[in-house]
Amino acid sequence: MVKGSFRVWENVILIIGVVLVNAAAMAKVFTELEISMKFLVVCFMIMTAALFPRPIWLAVNWRRLSRYEPLSVVVSDVLPIWTGKGIRRSITLKFGKKKNQYEKTVCGVLFMSAVEGSQYEALVDPNRPDEFVIMPAGQANAAVFAAVGVLLEIGFLSWFAYI
Protein backbone atom coordinates (compact mmCIF):
# COMPACT_ATOMS: atom_id res chain seq x y z
CA MET A 1 0.00 0.00 0.00
CA VAL A 2 1.65 3.14 -1.19
CA LYS A 3 -0.94 5.88 -1.52
CA GLY A 4 -4.46 6.35 -0.31
CA SER A 5 -6.71 8.37 1.92
CA PHE A 6 -5.58 6.20 4.83
CA ARG A 7 -2.34 8.22 4.94
CA VAL A 8 -4.30 11.40 5.66
CA TRP A 9 -6.33 9.75 8.41
CA GLU A 10 -3.25 8.18 10.01
CA ASN A 11 -1.60 11.59 10.20
CA VAL A 12 -4.74 13.38 11.43
CA ILE A 13 -5.31 10.89 14.25
CA LEU A 14 -1.66 10.96 15.25
CA ILE A 15 -1.56 14.77 15.27
CA ILE A 16 -4.71 14.95 17.42
CA GLY A 17 -3.12 12.67 20.03
CA VAL A 18 0.18 14.57 20.00
CA VAL A 19 -1.59 17.94 20.29
CA LEU A 20 -3.59 16.67 23.28
CA VAL A 21 -0.46 15.38 25.04
CA ASN A 22 1.37 18.67 24.38
CA ALA A 23 -1.62 20.70 25.58
CA ALA A 24 -1.75 18.66 28.78
CA ALA A 25 2.01 19.09 29.33
CA MET A 26 1.81 22.84 28.72
CA ALA A 27 -1.19 23.16 31.03
CA LYS A 28 0.69 21.32 33.77
CA VAL A 29 3.84 23.43 33.39
CA PHE A 30 2.28 26.86 32.98
CA THR A 31 -0.78 26.63 35.22
CA GLU A 32 0.36 23.91 37.65
CA LEU A 33 -2.89 22.04 37.11
CA GLU A 34 -2.94 18.42 38.12
CA ILE A 35 -3.36 16.40 34.90
CA SER A 36 -4.73 12.93 35.45
CA MET A 37 -2.70 10.00 34.20
CA LYS A 38 -5.93 8.65 32.72
CA PHE A 39 -6.03 11.62 30.34
CA LEU A 40 -2.52 10.83 29.10
CA VAL A 41 -3.42 7.16 28.62
CA VAL A 42 -6.45 8.23 26.56
CA CYS A 43 -4.13 10.44 24.45
CA PHE A 44 -1.85 7.45 23.82
CA MET A 45 -4.89 5.37 22.91
CA ILE A 46 -5.86 8.03 20.37
CA MET A 47 -2.34 7.94 18.92
CA THR A 48 -2.52 4.14 18.73
CA ALA A 49 -5.75 4.47 16.75
CA ALA A 50 -3.56 5.80 13.93
CA LEU A 51 -2.67 2.17 13.20
CA PHE A 52 -6.23 1.30 12.13
CA PRO A 53 -6.96 3.42 8.99
CA ARG A 54 -4.72 1.27 6.80
CA PRO A 55 -6.50 -2.07 7.47
CA ILE A 56 -9.90 -0.37 7.38
CA TRP A 57 -9.07 1.29 4.04
CA LEU A 58 -7.99 -2.04 2.56
CA ALA A 59 -11.11 -3.82 3.85
CA VAL A 60 -13.48 -1.11 2.59
CA ASN A 61 -11.79 -0.82 -0.81
CA TRP A 62 -11.22 -4.53 -1.38
CA ARG A 63 -14.17 -4.88 -3.75
CA ARG A 64 -13.02 -1.85 -5.75
CA LEU A 65 -9.45 -3.14 -5.77
CA SER A 66 -10.54 -6.53 -7.04
CA ARG A 67 -11.83 -4.79 -10.19
CA TYR A 68 -8.43 -3.21 -10.79
CA GLU A 69 -6.15 -4.65 -13.39
CA PRO A 70 -3.55 -6.94 -11.76
CA LEU A 71 -0.15 -6.21 -13.24
CA SER A 72 3.24 -7.73 -12.64
CA VAL A 73 5.60 -5.35 -10.85
CA VAL A 74 9.35 -5.63 -11.16
CA VAL A 75 11.80 -3.90 -8.83
CA SER A 76 14.04 -2.21 -11.36
CA ASP A 77 16.26 -0.04 -9.18
CA VAL A 78 17.06 0.21 -5.48
CA LEU A 79 18.82 3.32 -4.23
CA PRO A 80 19.88 3.58 -0.57
CA ILE A 81 19.20 7.02 0.92
CA TRP A 82 20.98 8.09 4.09
CA THR A 83 18.45 9.96 6.27
CA GLY A 84 20.61 10.60 9.33
CA LYS A 85 18.73 8.00 11.37
CA GLY A 86 19.55 5.14 9.04
CA ILE A 87 19.24 4.03 5.47
CA ARG A 88 15.91 4.08 3.65
CA ARG A 89 15.53 2.40 0.34
CA SER A 90 14.11 4.22 -2.65
CA ILE A 91 12.55 1.49 -4.78
CA THR A 92 11.73 2.08 -8.44
CA LEU A 93 8.95 -0.16 -9.75
CA LYS A 94 8.08 -0.81 -13.37
CA PHE A 95 4.69 -2.23 -14.25
CA GLY A 96 2.29 -2.36 -17.13
CA LYS A 97 2.28 -3.52 -20.69
CA LYS A 98 4.86 -2.43 -23.24
CA LYS A 99 2.67 0.45 -24.49
CA ASN A 100 1.54 1.65 -21.06
CA GLN A 101 4.67 1.11 -18.99
CA TYR A 102 4.54 2.91 -15.63
CA GLU A 103 7.54 3.67 -13.50
CA LYS A 104 6.97 4.68 -9.88
CA THR A 105 9.42 5.32 -7.07
CA VAL A 106 8.37 4.46 -3.53
CA CYS A 107 10.20 4.63 -0.22
CA GLY A 108 9.96 2.31 2.72
CA VAL A 109 7.28 -0.23 1.78
CA LEU A 110 7.07 -2.66 4.67
CA PHE A 111 7.27 -6.39 3.94
CA MET A 112 8.63 -5.83 0.46
CA SER A 113 12.03 -7.15 -0.49
CA ALA A 114 14.21 -4.45 -1.99
CA VAL A 115 16.12 -6.73 -4.34
CA GLU A 116 16.43 -5.77 -7.99
CA GLY A 117 14.45 -8.16 -10.16
CA SER A 118 11.94 -9.14 -7.45
CA GLN A 119 8.46 -9.56 -8.86
CA TYR A 120 5.20 -8.66 -7.16
CA GLU A 121 1.62 -8.17 -8.19
CA ALA A 122 0.12 -4.71 -8.14
CA LEU A 123 -3.55 -3.85 -8.34
CA VAL A 124 -3.68 -0.77 -10.54
CA ASP A 125 -6.59 1.37 -11.71
CA PRO A 126 -5.91 2.02 -15.42
CA ASN A 127 -7.60 5.43 -15.16
CA ARG A 128 -5.57 6.47 -12.10
CA PRO A 129 -2.17 4.75 -12.23
CA ASP A 130 -0.92 6.70 -9.20
CA GLU A 131 -3.14 4.60 -6.95
CA PHE A 132 -1.87 1.07 -6.65
CA VAL A 133 -1.54 -1.61 -4.01
CA ILE A 134 1.37 -4.02 -4.06
CA MET A 135 0.37 -7.53 -3.07
CA PRO A 136 1.08 -9.39 -0.81
CA ALA A 137 2.96 -6.54 0.91
CA GLY A 138 -0.28 -4.52 1.22
CA GLN A 139 -2.11 -7.36 2.93
CA ALA A 140 0.80 -8.01 5.29
CA ASN A 141 0.98 -4.29 6.09
CA ALA A 142 -2.70 -4.14 6.96
CA ALA A 143 -2.61 -7.34 9.03
CA VAL A 144 0.44 -6.26 11.06
CA PHE A 145 -0.91 -2.75 11.65
CA ALA A 146 -4.25 -4.19 12.83
CA ALA A 147 -2.61 -6.77 15.13
CA VAL A 148 -0.20 -4.27 16.69
CA GLY A 149 -3.00 -1.72 17.07
CA VAL A 150 -5.28 -4.21 18.83
CA LEU A 151 -2.49 -5.34 21.17
CA LEU A 152 -1.52 -1.76 22.07
CA GLU A 153 -5.15 -0.73 22.60
CA ILE A 154 -5.68 -3.71 24.92
CA GLY A 155 -2.50 -2.81 26.80
CA PHE A 156 -3.50 0.82 27.19
CA LEU A 157 -7.04 -0.16 28.20
CA SER A 158 -5.75 -2.46 30.93
CA TRP A 159 -3.38 0.30 32.08
CA PHE A 160 -6.34 2.73 32.10
CA ALA A 161 -8.37 0.31 34.27
CA TYR A 162 -5.43 -0.19 36.61
CA ILE A 163 -4.88 3.54 37.29
Side-chain angles (χ1 to χ4, degrees):
M1 299 175 65
V2 177
K3 288 178 71 176
S5 60
F6 64 90
R7 293 264 190 199
V8 173
W9 288 108
E10 285 173 348
N11 291 330
V12 165
I13 293 169
L14 193 60
I15 288 171
I16 289 171
V18 169
V19 166
L20 289 174
V21 167
N22 285 333
M26 287 173 43
K28 183 170 178 71
V29 169
F30 293 127
T31 63
E32 297 182 12
L33 290 175
E34 192 61 35
I35 305 297
S36 171
M37 191 64 174
K38 287 187 176 188
F39 179 74
L40 294 177
V41 171
V42 168
C43 292
F44 287 123
M45 288 175 74
I46 290 170
M47 285 189 275
T48 302
L51 294 171
F52 292 112
R54 189 175 301 236
I56 290 170
W57 182 88
L58 189 61
V60 167
N61 290 308
W62 189 254
R63 183 165 291 191
R64 182 173 63 99
L65 289 173
S66 65
R67 291 189 301 252
Y68 282 5
E69 180 181 346
L71 296 172
S72 178
V73 176
V74 178
V75 177
S76 65
D77 188 30
V78 178
L79 177 67
I81 300 171
W82 177 255
T83 61
K85 296 179 185 175
I87 295 176
R88 287 187 72 177
R89 301 214 184 309
S90 172
I91 304 169
T92 302
L93 304 170
K94 286 187 179 182
F95 53 93
K97 298 180 175 84
K98 295 285 184 190
K99 291 185 210 173
N100 299 331
Q101 184 93 24
Y102 301 111
E103 188 171 303
K104 299 292 177 191
T105 301
V106 296
C107 284
V109 177
L110 296 175
F111 307 110
M112 184 177 163
S113 174
V115 177
E116 289 182 23
S118 297
Q119 289 195 342
Y120 294 95
E121 180 181 272
L123 301 175
V124 182
D125 183 2
N127 299 327
R128 294 162 57 187
D130 282 343
E131 290 186 13
F132 59 94
V133 178
I134 301 167
M135 294 299 177
Q139 293 167 323
N141 254 334
V144 168
F145 274 58
V148 170
V150 166
L151 291 174
L152 283 173
E153 289 289 348
I154 290 171
F156 283 130
L157 194 59
S158 63
W159 190 18
F160 184 80
Y162 179 73
I163 296 176

